[in-house]
Amino acid sequence: MAKYVLTARSRTGKPVNQITGADTDSVAVYSDADLAERLAAVERDPRDLEVTVRPAGPAN
């Protein structure tokens, strides 16, 4: 079961979802280590991302 839902949005409108080209995308995160890796990757990402993390609900 997912532990968190991470949502990333590009402040500059650049695509975040490489398949759909959308400037917003969400992903289920299953562990604290996975969350830490993803947040570290955000820091290195050139798309000027705004990220929110919330606890996953029962449907995630």
Side-chain angles (χ1 to χ4, degrees), residues 8-23:
R9 183 182 70 81
S10 172
R11 291 184 182 115
T12 58
K14 294 182 181 177
V16 174
N17 184 315
Q18 299 301 314
I19 295 170
T20 66
D23 66 349

Side-chain angles (χ1 to χ4, degrees), residues 1-4 9-10 12 14 18 23-24 26-27 29 33-34 36 38 40 45-47 49 51-52 59:
M1 176 189 282
K3 200 168 181 180
Y4 307 102
R9 183 182 70 81
S10 172
T12 58
K14 294 182 181 177
Q18 299 301 314
D23 66 349
T24 302
S26 295
V27 62
V29 180
D34 186 19
R38 290 175 185 275
D45 196 291
R47 292 176 286 190
L49 298 176
V51 174
T52 58

Side-chain angles (χ1 to χ4, degrees), residues 23-54:
D23 66 349
T24 302
D25 198 14
S26 295
V27 62
V29 180
Y30 294 90
S31 71
D32 292 332
D34 186 19
L35 178 62
E37 288 177 23
R38 290 175 185 275
L39 291 175
V42 166
E43 294 298 319
R44 298 186 304 268
D45 196 291
R47 292 176 286 190
D48 191 24
L49 298 176
E50 178 181 279
V51 174
T52 58
V53 178
R54 65 176 174 82

